[in-house]
Structure formats: structure tokens, C-alpha cells
Amino acid sequence: MEKVLNYIDGKWTEALGGEYFNVINPATGEVIAKAAKGGREDAKAAIKAAKREFYNNKNGWRRFSSVKRSEMLLKIADELEKRREEFAKTETADNGKPLREALGDVDDAVSYIRYYAGAIRMPSGASYEVNDGFGPMHSYTVKEPVGVCGLITPWNYPLLMGVQKIAPALAAGNTIVFKPSSETPLSTVKFFKILAEAGFPDGTVNLVMGGGSTVGSEIAESEDVDMVSFTGSTEVGQSIYRASAGNVKKIGLELGGKSPNVIFADTDLDGAVEWAMMGVFFNQGEVCSAGSRIIIEESIKDEFVKRLKERADKMTLGNGITNPDMGPLISESHMNKVLGFIEKAKEEGAKVVCGGYRYTENGCGKGYFVRPTILDNVSPDNTAVKNEIFGPVVTIQTFKTEEEAIEMANDTEFGLAGAVFTKDGARALRVVKEIRAGIMWINCYNPAYVEAPWGGYKKSGVGRELSFDGLEEYTETKQITINLQPGELGWYEKR
Ligand code: NAD
């Protein structure tokens, strides 16, 4: 059985407590690896190394030129690309997603690293001519790394969510302490093997696996961590926000969602069905931006639901390695949570159009499979409308007017994403402006690119990832003012 270790201060290390936790393939329920179970002391050791490296090493990573940092990142991307298949197979075994989706994740990860390798060589900062009574002055800003960055990720895109943080954090010159989800540490460990070979000074990159309430909390609470970037549930994000207040950390939070997919009657119906599938059933529906609330104009609802059901019923479920349409959910407990939401929604009046149960046929008996589920006849306060289910479950609500559609779309505590389907361009632009969310799509659902920013309004988060904005999150801005006439005196009296 493979045993994987933490990486702290340039060394692969057993957990200080000597314990391991099981890593399970959710398609089969089998234990596929044992991972070192770090605790608070392991996190402290990693933070200490990252702090020493950032603040005390005169030849440390942050003092590498941006050209050198960029070149190292490009080599890391090349190595990851070479091992594309191996990484994707690991991700599928650990997370359950179909292999082709895991391959797509590795491709995206490579692209993200290359983007930030380029972005760090772009001009940054600004320049200001000022003359407000102190004579001619010139101000300019420089971007500097924040310091020790604690990075904490979920299980739905293990490699990609990690790289989304690691690449910009390192590009900007920070040192990092990384904690992956205990459900899915394996692709991260492999990625750290590449980082370990890349030539970073010891203490620059640290990996600590273990529980959220131990390793995660230590990172959030530590006065020696300068920034936390977290992707995960809103509830945990809130606790990290509170814990970070101790030393007023810089913070990035990418949290949950309950995103509306608004479909008008004038849309191309087949296109809307296709994108709705992508919106809610891709990655088993375990997607933060999932279009899990379909809000559709009443006149086309029956036809739309009929077509969506036909597509959903045809979906094949199976072990991700065989490339089915959908893999298993991440764990038995998560599957039970999803099924529990469906049961409660039914008790509250929802009608199950399709799915709604655990799937055990075709070799799926030991895994955690749930059939793609459509719930109709839901009231606005139905459990399935209100809560992030994070599985292949979509609700159907109808509207008669544009105003009603917008009101329904905004009737949520979340504000991550959403979409509008219509052939009326002006209406599309009006509606996306009215919906309170950080990411909106018109006539498509879910495409994401490293070039464009990602992040939420309301309880979906703070800050942005991806794009140049994502790089700036890992920097501090320093403003510097120069007196252009140092020989001129008497300012004290004049003021
Ligand atoms: P989670 O919040 O349970 O866990 C996320 C990470 O936080 C894990 O590594 C976990 O161990 C750690 N953690 C748990 N408790 C902690 C604590 N008290 N202090 C510090 N760390 C702690 O989320 P999950 O179940 O792994 O992932 C699903 C959630 O992630 C969903 O809500 C989803 O919407 C969200 N998500 C958001 C985005 C986005 O871009 N907004 C992307 C992916 C996932």
C-alpha cells in the first residue's frame, strides 16, 4: 500500500504523531493509499520554516528575479504536462471524476502555471505625478509578496484548485504552507514531488496533510501566517475569516454557491438543455458554480424538462477510469448528505422527475453513485432551492416576467455565478447586470478561463482568483513618494 508523506522545510516527513489516514477510491470503496496525518505541531513546523525562509533568507525565493521565478514555473508546467496521464489517473482514482475530465484538469493546471509564469513578468504598479502644496513630487507603487501564505483547498478539483493558488502565490515570491482536503491528497503529493525537484530554497514550499480542525485551524489562527487563501464551504470560510482576525491576515475566500440558470422562452432550446447539463451534472455536480437552480419561463418549461430528463436518464454512471458520463460522489457520507437533501425536498413537496436515488447497478454497488436528479414543483423555500447540495441535483422554478426571473435569481444568500439564456441581446445584458453574482454567463454555462477573474459576491466569498487579479491577491501594494526638489526648504513653515 502506497504511503504518502508531508513535505516540510525541504524534507519528506512522517507526521509527528506517527499516524496515517486512509485515502479511498469512491468508485469502489477501496483504500488506495495511506497519508501522513499531520496535526497542529506539523502545521507549526511548516509555518516556522516558511516564515524563516521568507523573512531571514537573504538569498530566498522572494529575492529571485522575476525572470528566474518565471523560468522555474515554466519547467514545473513542462514536467506536469509530460506526466499528464499519470496525474489524471491518480485524480480519477482519488476523486472519482471521469478520466477525460481529470485530463482536462491537468491541462488547465499546466495552462494556469504558464499564465502566472508570464504574468509575473508583466508591468505592475502605477505611477502618479503629484503637486498638492509640497512642491513637485512623484509617487509610484510596487507590488511585493505578502509573506507566508496558508493555502487550503477542497476535494472537487484537487490538483486544479491547488495550482490555482500555488502558481500565483509562488510567482509573486511568497512562501507557502499548503493543506489539501483529506479526501483527495494524492495528486497534490505528486505535484509537490515536482516542486521538491524544482530547486526552491528549503522552506519555500510546504505540504501538510491532516484535518481541517487541526492543520487548517492552525494555519488560520497562526500569527506567523500573513495570508490565507481558502476554497471550500461557506461555513468553514466564515470560521477561517474569524480566526484570521487575530493578526489581521490578508484573506481570499472562494466559497459555496446556489447559482441560478435563467432561461427565457426565446432561447435555442437544445442549446439551453445542453448547457444546463454542463451546468449541473459536470463533475458529478460537485462544482461550486453549478447551475443548480433552473429558473425557466413558464411557457417552455414542460418541453425543456422533458428534454433535460431524456438526456439525464441516458447518462452512464461508472468507475471514472472507464470514462462514463458521470463518476461517483466523493464519499459515503457526502452521498448520504445528498440523498438526505433529496428526501427532505420530497417531504416538502418536490416531485422527482428523474434520479433521486443511489445507483448500484453495472459494477457500481460498492461506490457512492447517485443518479442525476431533477426536482420539479419546488417552492422558493424548499430545502433543495435554498441549500448548496453539491451533487447532481437540479431544481426547476418558473417565471412569467423578466422582473420575476431576476427576483428569483437573487433570492439566495450566495452570489457566485449564474447564466441567462435568450436570443434578445439587450435583455441578456440587462438581466446579467441585475443578478448579484461574481460570474455570469450568457448562452453558455460553466466555461472558466485563467485569463478571466473568478470569485463571488455575498456569502460566496472575498477576493478573486485566476487572471491578473488573482496574482495581485498575493501581493501587497507599497506606495513610494519622491521629492523632486530636495534642495527647496521651508515647507514646515508654509504648512
Ligand atoms: P470544506 O469547507 O469542508 O473543506 C475545505 C477545506 O477546508 C478542506 O481542506 C478541509 O479539511 C478544510 N477545513 C475544514 N474545516 C476547517 C477549519 N475549521 N479550518 C481550516 N480549514 C478547515 O469544503 P469541501 O467539502 O472540501 O468542498 C466543497 C465546498 O467547496 C463547496 O461548498 C463548494 O462550493 C466549495 N468550493 C468553492 C469554489 C469556489 O471557487 N468558490 C471552488 C470549489 C469548491
Side-chain angles (χ1 to χ4, degrees), residues 153-155 179 212 216 230-233 236 254-256 288 388 390 454:
T153 52
W155 43 257
K179 190 201 105 54
F230 168 81
T231 299
S233 61
V236 173
E254 297 287 341
L255 308 178
C288 52
E388 182 184 46
F390 221 58
W454 183 273

Side-chain angles (χ1 to χ4, degrees), residues 75-309:
K75 282 196 188 136
I76 290 164
D78 290 349
E79 185 59 25
L80 181 58
E81 189 173 48
K82 257 194 255 160
R83 295 166 59 182
R84 175 176 187 263
E85 296 265 335
E86 174 200 338
F87 268 82
K89 283 181 182 157
T90 297
E91 199 76 313
T92 289
D94 200 355
N95 164 279
K97 65 178 72 193
L99 185 63
R100 75 180 171 279
E101 292 183 18
L103 284 164
D105 288 0
V106 181
D107 293 343
D108 283 349
V110 169
S111 159
Y112 290 10
I113 301 169
R114 289 188 177 141
Y115 176 87
Y116 286 110
I120 198 60
R121 298 184 65 178
M122 293 290 287
S124 67
S127 165
Y128 314 83
E129 287 299 331
V130 283
N131 189 346
D132 72 340
F134 281 113
M137 300 269 167
H138 180 80
S139 290
Y140 68 100
T141 53
V142 290
K143 299 286 179 181
E144 298 186 338
V146 183
V148 176
C149 293
L151 313 176
I152 303 175
T153 52
W155 43 257
N156 61 336
Y157 287 89
L159 176 71
L160 195 58
M161 293 291 122
V163 164
Q164 193 160 315
K165 297 185 189 303
I166 293 171
L170 288 178
N174 298 284
T175 59
I176 63 167
V177 176
F178 188 90
K179 190 201 105 54
S181 166
S182 301
E183 304 286 0
T184 53
L186 299 183
S187 58
T188 310
V189 172
K190 264 188 199 299
F191 187 64
F192 265 77
K193 287 188 178 158
I194 296 181
L195 296 182
E197 298 293 309
F200 291 98
D202 289 350
T204 306
V205 295
N206 302 277
L207 166 69
V208 189
M209 297 176 282
S213 58
T214 52
V215 176
S217 292
E218 184 60 40
I219 292 171
E221 289 163 16
S222 172
E223 302 255 327
D224 292 331
V225 172
D226 301 294
M227 169 173 178
V228 169
S229 176
F230 168 81
T231 299
S233 61
T234 295
E235 197 185 351
V236 173
Q238 287 168 321
S239 79
I240 289 179
Y241 213 167
R242 282 191 287 269
S244 296
N247 64 329
V248 196
K249 285 182 187 60
K250 205 160 190 256
I251 190 134
L253 299 173
E254 297 287 341
L255 308 178
K258 189 72 198 176
S259 299
N261 183 359
V262 179
I263 304 171
F264 286 91
D266 68 352
T267 193
D268 159 38
L269 204 55
D270 283 330
V273 170
E274 170 90 24
W275 285 109
M277 297 279 297
M278 178 66 125
V280 77
F281 298 139
F282 190 74
N283 208 56
Q284 298 76 239
E286 295 167 329
V287 178
C288 52
S289 56
S292 53
R293 290 187 295 140
I294 288 175
I295 297 173
I296 189 159
E297 196 161 344
E298 206 174 68
S299 58
I300 58 162
K301 180 215 147 185
D302 289 345
E303 184 58 25
F304 176 88
V305 171
K306 185 172 141 253
R307 293 192 203 185
L308 190 66
K309 171 182 160 44

Side-chain angles (χ1 to χ4, degrees), residues 280-286 317 326-327 329 334 338 342 354 356 369-374 389-394:
V280 77
F281 298 139
F282 190 74
N283 208 56
Q284 298 76 239
E286 295 167 329
L317 271 63
M326 194 187 274
L329 299 185
H334 186 58
V338 170
I342 296 171
C354 66
F369 296 86
V370 172
R371 283 294 316 172
T373 303
I374 303 173
I389 296 178
F390 221 58
V393 182
V394 65

Side-chain angles (χ1 to χ4, degrees), residues 18-78:
E19 282 184 73
Y20 285 87
F21 63 88
N22 290 335
V23 183
I24 290 169
N25 181 336
T28 61
E30 283 164 2
V31 177
I32 52 173
K34 294 199 172 280
K37 187 178 176 187
R40 282 191 179 264
E41 293 307 314
D42 303 80
K44 277 185 186 149
I47 293 166
K48 191 172 168 204
K51 184 181 177 189
R52 184 206 67 227
E53 171 54 32
F54 188 84
Y55 288 99
N56 299 343
N57 186 352
K58 295 282 180 284
N59 301 311
W61 173 244
R62 76 176 157 117
R63 300 184 199 269
F64 283 33
S65 70
S66 54
V67 175
K68 179 76 185 146
R69 271 185 267 143
S70 172
E71 283 171 359
M72 273 180 60
L73 288 172
L74 289 173
K75 282 196 188 136
I76 290 164
D78 290 349

